[in-house]
Amino acid sequence: MASASATLLKSSPIIDKSEWIKGQNLRHPSVCFVRSHPTSAAFTVRASSYADELVKTAKTVASPGRGILAMDESNATCGKRLASIGLENTEANRQAYRTLLVSAPGLGNYISGAILFEETLYQSTIDGKKMVDVLVEQNIVPGIKVDKGLVPLPGSNNESWCQGLDGLSSRTAAYYQQGARFAKWRTVVSIPNGPSALAVKEAAWGLARYAAISQDSGLVPIVEPEILLDGDHGIDRTFEVAQKVWAEVFFYLAENNVMFEGILLKPSMVTPGAECKDKATPQQVADYTLKLLHRRIPPAVPGIMFLSGGQSEVEATLNLNAMNQSPNPWHVSFSYARALQNTCLKTWGGRPENVKAAQDALLVRAKANSLAQLGKYTGEGESEEAKKGMFVKGYVY
């Protein structure tokens, strides 16, 4: 028993980028049978052969001054982004925009991981290089969105559940072979709709099953139960719901033998509902959020990579900075999509001559959040565009 625990908990150095894509033969998890007493029943301890690699990958993504670029929008959602700048939703246009993102010079100084949509994982840049290879050259770990989206949850109060467990084991194995080293599964909890005990339990169980399957395939699972900003509730109500959600999530993660040292979390910050009249300051958001983390998140978890959830670019950065004004047991950082890409996308506008300016805009936001992860962001010199809120009621990802 002691040797199995030592294997699971063994700390490892940061993973070398050359290790991310080796095309290794898939390894099968080993199972260790242990008896606590000759007359007692046997039980099993899951000791995945990927344990050391999972720890290395998680530590790499959770490295100082860096965070995650979430660019895993589905083709439909990417189409909405492109439509906002007058572009048609074609593979060529999606490829051009994703090329712009992954090839921004020096992006790896601020970004440690990039979450990709399946199309992007297998896609090449407009110059013919694999997107995955471009990321690795930038010292960025490739990740992959593996859930299949939200559908109505029968028996609930108009709530949702996340599908995608069917066939997940074979898909994650294939994604590992293609170069992915971490995965993401997003489910949501709605405060205006309850949340019902059924919806919370379904969200937690789905996340736990996904996490266990991902680890067995060598992928570090990002655990993301997003508590939606929709509603006019105050910050105390958000805190109350978040406590319940995270208690349930970690209960089922433990029930499924998920190794905490080999996961990353992508939670919502604790904020008032988007339609609440009482707005919270960055310090209030930090105080509530850190109190939640200390009550619910084991220090074995290496990284907390916050989602922005419709906050403005500046608001998301200010709140992150406030959380890093004193040491934390975990790496407290970011996994932003719109809060990194909004100004970049509008600057590009689909025009080849604007690519450099758009990449510069992306690097400005990435550097700002890098500084926020270190607690050194000041907010000086931010554009008016970066201060605009991006909340969309009933937003479909």
Side-chain angles (χ1 to χ4, degrees):
M1 183 68 173
S3 62
S5 299
T7 300
L8 287 175
L9 301 179
K10 180 182 177 183
S11 60
S12 306
I14 300 297
I15 190 171
D16 184 84
K17 67 180 180 180
S18 65
E19 297 180 45
W20 299 342
I21 302 178
K22 288 183 177 178
Q24 301 104 316
N25 292 326
L26 290 178
R27 293 166 283 179
H28 297 285
S30 59
V31 178
C32 175
F33 290 88
V34 184
R35 289 186 185 274
S36 58
H37 189 275
T39 61
S40 64
F43 62 95
T44 62
V45 176
R46 191 169 62 87
S48 170
S49 60
Y50 287 105
D52 287 349
E53 183 179 339
L54 292 168
V55 172
K56 290 178 185 178
T57 300
K59 284 184 175 181
T60 300
V61 177
S63 53
R66 300 204 295 167
I68 294 173
L69 169 62
M71 49 179 290
D72 58 320
E73 298 89 352
S74 67
N75 288 348
T77 301
C78 194
K80 293 177 185 177
R81 305 274 172 86
L82 294 174
S84 72
I85 57 171
L87 285 187
E88 188 180 351
N89 186 16
T90 64
E91 183 178 354
N93 285 336
R94 294 193 299 271
Q95 178 192 39
Y97 180 56
R98 290 162 178 165
T99 297
L100 180 161
L101 295 175
V102 302
S103 61
L107 185 64
N109 293 327
Y110 317 116
I111 300 296
S112 55
I115 312 172
L116 310 178
F117 189 60
E118 186 176 66
E119 178 181 75
T120 319
L121 184 68
Y122 292 91
Q123 200 170 41
S124 296
T125 66
I126 56 176
D127 300 319
K129 296 186 69 173
K130 291 182 178 179
M131 296 272 187
V132 169
D133 292 344
V134 174
L135 288 170
V136 171
E137 289 171 5
Q138 293 249 50
N139 200 28
I140 298 172
V141 184
I144 179 69
K145 167 188 167 74
V146 300
D147 68 77
K148 293 293 185 179
L150 301 168
V151 292
L153 177 62
S156 71
N157 186 26
N158 295 319
E159 295 163 288
S160 302
W161 69 285
C162 188
Q163 56 188 351
L165 289 177
D166 289 350
L168 181 59
S169 181
S170 59
R171 287 192 291 120
T172 51
Y175 296 151
Y176 182 94
Q177 289 295 84
Q178 185 62 19
R181 287 298 177 268
F182 69 95
K184 192 201 85 165
W185 176 287
R186 172 187 180 261
T187 193
V188 302
V189 172
S190 170
I191 292 180
N193 289 358
S196 67
L198 173 64
V200 173
K201 183 173 183 177
E202 176 60 44
W205 178 255
L207 284 166
R209 289 305 307 139
Y210 137 78
I213 293 167
S214 295
Q215 287 190 339
D216 274 349
S217 295
L219 302 182
V220 169
I222 289 183
V223 177
E224 182 184 0
E226 179 176 355
I227 298 173
L228 297 171
L229 278 176
D230 302 62
D232 59 4
H233 53 277
I235 194 169
D236 288 294
R237 175 60 177 156
T238 305
F239 182 81
E240 177 188 4
V241 171
Q243 282 199 112
K244 173 62 178 174
V245 170
W246 281 106
E248 201 95 344
V249 167
F250 272 92
F251 173 80
Y252 285 114
L253 286 173
E255 286 285 289
N256 282 273
N257 298 308
V258 172
M259 184 178 68
F260 291 172
E261 292 84 355
I263 67 173
L264 295 166
L265 304 188
K266 185 172 178 175
S268 310
M269 297 178 189
V270 180
T271 66
E275 297 162 291
C276 179
K277 294 178 181 178
D278 298 322
K279 302 302 179 185
T281 65
Q283 189 57 53
Q284 288 174 314
V285 171
D287 290 344
Y288 273 86
T289 304
L290 289 175
K291 182 165 69 171
L292 170 70
L293 296 181
H294 280 284
R295 287 186 179 182
R296 289 291 183 264
I297 312 304
V301 174
I304 316 291
M305 322 299 286
F306 282 102
L307 59 90
S308 54
Q311 300 177 69
S312 75
E313 291 177 328
V314 170
E315 185 181 10
T317 308
L318 284 169
N319 289 339
L320 178 64
N321 186 71
M323 281 184 259
N324 282 298
Q325 292 308 298
S326 58
N328 292 303
W330 331 265
H331 174 81
V332 176
S333 193
F334 60 93
S335 177
Y336 294 163
R338 287 174 287 173
L340 281 172
Q341 297 181 43
N342 185 57
T343 301
C344 167
L345 177 67
K346 292 183 177 180
T347 302
W348 176 49
R351 298 178 179 274
E353 63 269 25
N354 292 342
V355 166
K356 184 183 183 305
Q359 289 179 329
D360 288 344
L362 173 64
L363 292 171
V364 165
R365 289 263 47 86
K367 183 178 181 180
N369 285 291
S370 170
L371 290 170
Q373 197 288 309
L374 299 170
K376 298 178 179 179
Y377 172 72
T378 63
E380 296 177 1
E382 291 284 13
S383 68
E384 289 305 310
E385 182 63 44
K387 297 176 183 177
K388 293 180 180 177
M390 292 178 281
F391 169 72
V392 177
K393 190 173 183 178
Y395 180 71
V396 178
Y397 189 66

Coordinates of all heavy atoms in Angstrom, one line a residue, residues 67-103:
G67 N -0.3 31.1 -17.9 CA -1.7 30.5 -17.8 C -2.1 29.9 -19.1 O -1.3 29.7 -20.0
I68 N -3.4 29.7 -19.3 CA -3.9 28.9 -20.4 C -4.7 29.8 -21.4 O -5.5 30.7 -21.0 CB -4.8 27.8 -20.0 CG1 -4.0 26.7 -19.2 CG2 -5.5 27.1 -21.1 CD1 -4.9 25.7 -18.5
L69 N -4.4 29.7 -22.7 CA -5.2 30.3 -23.8 C -6.3 29.3 -24.2 O -6.0 28.2 -24.7 CB -4.3 30.6 -25.0 CG -5.1 31.0 -26.3 CD1 -5.9 32.3 -26.0 CD2 -4.1 31.2 -27.4
A70 N -7.5 29.6 -23.9 CA -8.6 28.8 -24.3 C -9.1 29.2 -25.7 O -9.7 30.2 -25.9 CB -9.8 28.9 -23.3
M71 N -8.8 28.3 -26.6 CA -9.1 28.6 -28.0 C -9.9 27.4 -28.6 O -9.7 27.0 -29.7 CB -7.9 28.9 -28.9 CG -6.7 28.0 -28.7 SD -5.3 28.4 -29.7 CE -5.9 28.0 -31.4
D72 N -10.7 26.8 -27.7 CA -11.4 25.5 -28.0 C -12.9 25.7 -28.4 O -13.7 24.8 -28.3 CB -11.3 24.6 -26.9 CG -12.0 25.1 -25.6 OD1 -11.7 26.4 -25.3 OD2 -12.6 24.4 -24.9
E73 N -13.2 26.9 -28.9 CA -14.5 27.2 -29.3 C -15.0 26.2 -30.4 O -14.2 25.9 -31.3 CB -14.7 28.6 -29.9 CG -14.4 29.7 -28.9 CD -12.9 30.1 -28.8 OE1 -12.1 29.4 -29.5 OE2 -12.6 31.1 -28.2
S74 N -16.2 25.7 -30.3 CA -16.7 24.8 -31.4 C -16.7 25.6 -32.7 O -16.7 26.8 -32.7 CB -18.1 24.3 -31.0 OG -19.0 25.4 -31.0
N75 N -16.9 24.8 -33.8 CA -17.0 25.5 -35.1 C -18.1 26.5 -35.1 O -18.0 27.6 -35.7 CB -17.1 24.5 -36.2 CG -15.8 23.7 -36.4 OD1 -14.7 24.1 -35.9 ND2 -15.8 22.7 -37.1
A76 N -19.2 26.1 -34.5 CA -20.4 27.0 -34.4 C -20.1 28.3 -33.7 O -20.4 29.4 -34.1 CB -21.6 26.3 -33.9
T77 N -19.5 28.1 -32.5 CA -19.2 29.3 -31.7 C -18.1 30.2 -32.4 O -18.1 31.4 -32.4 CB -18.7 28.9 -30.3 OG1 -19.7 28.1 -29.7 CG2 -18.4 30.1 -29.4
C78 N -17.1 29.5 -33.0 CA -16.1 30.2 -33.7 C -16.7 31.0 -34.8 O -16.3 32.1 -35.1 CB -15.0 29.3 -34.3 SG -13.5 30.0 -34.8
G79 N -17.8 30.4 -35.4 CA -18.5 31.1 -36.5 C -19.1 32.4 -36.0 O -19.2 33.4 -36.7
K80 N -19.6 32.4 -34.8 CA -20.2 33.6 -34.2 C -19.1 34.7 -34.0 O -19.4 35.9 -34.3 CB -20.9 33.3 -32.9 CG -22.1 32.4 -33.0 CD -22.6 32.1 -31.6 CE -23.8 31.1 -31.7 NZ -24.3 30.7 -30.3
R81 N -18.0 34.3 -33.6 CA -16.9 35.2 -33.4 C -16.5 35.8 -34.7 O -16.2 37.0 -34.9 CB -15.7 34.5 -32.8 CG -16.0 33.8 -31.4 CD -15.9 34.8 -30.2 NE -16.4 34.1 -29.0 CZ -15.6 33.3 -28.2 NH1 -14.4 33.1 -28.5 NH2 -16.2 32.8 -27.2
L82 N -16.4 35.0 -35.8 CA -16.0 35.4 -37.1 C -17.1 36.4 -37.7 O -16.8 37.4 -38.3 CB -15.8 34.3 -38.0 CG -14.5 33.4 -37.7 CD1 -14.5 32.2 -38.6 CD2 -13.2 34.2 -37.8
A83 N -18.3 36.0 -37.4 CA -19.4 36.8 -37.9 C -19.4 38.3 -37.3 O -19.8 39.2 -38.0 CB -20.8 36.2 -37.6
S84 N -18.9 38.4 -36.1 CA -18.8 39.7 -35.4 C -17.9 40.6 -36.1 O -17.9 41.8 -35.9 CB -18.4 39.5 -34.0 OG -17.1 39.2 -33.8
I85 N -17.0 40.1 -36.9 CA -16.0 40.9 -37.7 C -16.3 40.8 -39.2 O -15.5 41.2 -40.0 CB -14.6 40.6 -37.4 CG1 -14.2 39.1 -37.7 CG2 -14.2 41.0 -36.0 CD1 -12.8 38.8 -37.6
G86 N -17.5 40.3 -39.5 CA -17.9 40.2 -40.9 C -17.3 39.1 -41.8 O -17.3 39.2 -43.0
L87 N -16.9 38.0 -41.1 CA -16.3 36.9 -41.9 C -17.2 35.7 -41.9 O -17.9 35.4 -40.9 CB -14.9 36.5 -41.3 CG -13.7 37.4 -41.5 CD1 -12.5 36.7 -40.9 CD2 -13.5 37.7 -42.9
E88 N -17.2 35.0 -43.0 CA -17.9 33.8 -43.1 C -17.3 32.6 -42.3 O -16.1 32.6 -42.2 CB -18.0 33.4 -44.6 CG -18.9 32.2 -44.9 CD -19.0 31.9 -46.4 OE1 -18.4 32.6 -47.2 OE2 -19.6 30.8 -46.8
N89 N -18.1 31.7 -41.8 CA -17.6 30.6 -41.0 C -17.2 29.5 -41.9 O -17.9 28.5 -42.1 CB -18.7 30.1 -40.0 CG -18.2 29.1 -39.1 OD1 -17.0 28.9 -38.9 ND2 -19.1 28.4 -38.4
T90 N -15.9 29.6 -42.4 CA -15.4 28.5 -43.2 C -14.1 28.0 -42.5 O -13.5 28.6 -41.7 CB -14.9 29.1 -44.6 OG1 -13.9 30.0 -44.4 CG2 -16.1 29.8 -45.3
E91 N -13.7 26.8 -42.9 CA -12.5 26.2 -42.3 C -11.3 27.1 -42.6 O -10.4 27.2 -41.7 CB -12.3 24.8 -42.9 CG -11.1 24.1 -42.2 CD -10.8 22.7 -42.6 OE1 -11.7 22.1 -43.4 OE2 -9.8 22.1 -42.2
A92 N -11.3 27.7 -43.8 CA -10.1 28.5 -44.1 C -10.0 29.7 -43.2 O -8.9 30.1 -42.8 CB -10.2 29.0 -45.6
N93 N -11.2 30.3 -42.9 CA -11.1 31.5 -42.0 C -10.8 31.1 -40.5 O -10.1 31.8 -39.8 CB -12.5 32.2 -42.0 CG -12.7 33.0 -43.3 OD1 -11.7 33.4 -43.9 ND2 -13.9 33.3 -43.7
R94 N -11.4 29.9 -40.1 CA -11.0 29.4 -38.8 C -9.5 29.1 -38.7 O -8.9 29.4 -37.7 CB -11.9 28.2 -38.5 CG -13.4 28.4 -38.3 CD -14.1 27.2 -37.7 NE -14.0 26.0 -38.5 CZ -14.8 25.6 -39.4 NH1 -15.8 26.4 -39.7 NH2 -14.7 24.5 -40.1
Q95 N -9.0 28.5 -39.8 CA -7.6 28.2 -39.8 C -6.7 29.4 -39.7 O -5.7 29.5 -39.0 CB -7.3 27.4 -41.1 CG -5.8 27.0 -41.3 CD -5.5 26.5 -42.7 OE1 -6.1 27.1 -43.7 NE2 -4.7 25.5 -42.8
A96 N -7.1 30.5 -40.5 CA -6.4 31.7 -40.5 C -6.3 32.4 -39.1 O -5.3 32.8 -38.6 CB -7.0 32.7 -41.5
Y97 N -7.5 32.4 -38.4 CA -7.5 33.0 -37.1 C -6.7 32.2 -36.1 O -6.0 32.7 -35.3 CB -9.0 33.1 -36.6 CG -9.1 33.8 -35.3 CD1 -8.5 35.0 -35.0 CD2 -9.8 33.1 -34.2 CE1 -8.6 35.6 -33.8 CE2 -9.8 33.7 -33.0 CZ -9.3 34.9 -32.7 OH -9.3 35.5 -31.5
R98 N -6.9 30.9 -36.1 CA -6.1 30.0 -35.2 C -4.6 30.1 -35.4 O -3.8 30.0 -34.5 CB -6.6 28.6 -35.2 CG -8.1 28.4 -34.7 CD -8.7 27.2 -35.1 NE -10.1 27.0 -34.5 CZ -11.0 26.1 -35.0 NH1 -10.7 25.4 -36.0 NH2 -12.1 26.0 -34.4
T99 N -4.2 30.2 -36.7 CA -2.8 30.4 -37.0 C -2.3 31.7 -36.4 O -1.2 31.7 -35.8 CB -2.6 30.4 -38.6 OG1 -3.0 29.2 -39.1 CG2 -1.2 30.7 -38.9
L100 N -3.1 32.7 -36.5 CA -2.7 34.0 -35.9 C -2.4 33.8 -34.4 O -1.4 34.3 -33.9 CB -3.8 35.0 -36.1 CG -3.7 36.4 -35.6 CD1 -4.7 37.3 -36.4 CD2 -4.0 36.6 -34.1
L101 N -3.3 33.1 -33.7 CA -3.1 32.9 -32.3 C -1.9 32.1 -31.9 O -1.1 32.6 -31.1 CB -4.4 32.2 -31.7 CG -5.7 33.0 -31.8 CD1 -6.9 32.1 -31.3 CD2 -5.7 34.3 -31.0
V102 N -1.8 30.9 -32.5 CA -0.7 30.0 -32.0 C 0.7 30.5 -32.4 O 1.7 30.1 -31.8 CB -0.9 28.6 -32.5 CG1 -2.3 28.1 -32.0 CG2 -0.8 28.5 -34.0
S103 N 0.8 31.3 -33.5 CA 2.1 31.8 -34.0 C 2.5 33.1 -33.5 O 3.5 33.7 -34.0 CB 2.1 31.7 -35.5 OG 1.1 32.6 -36.1

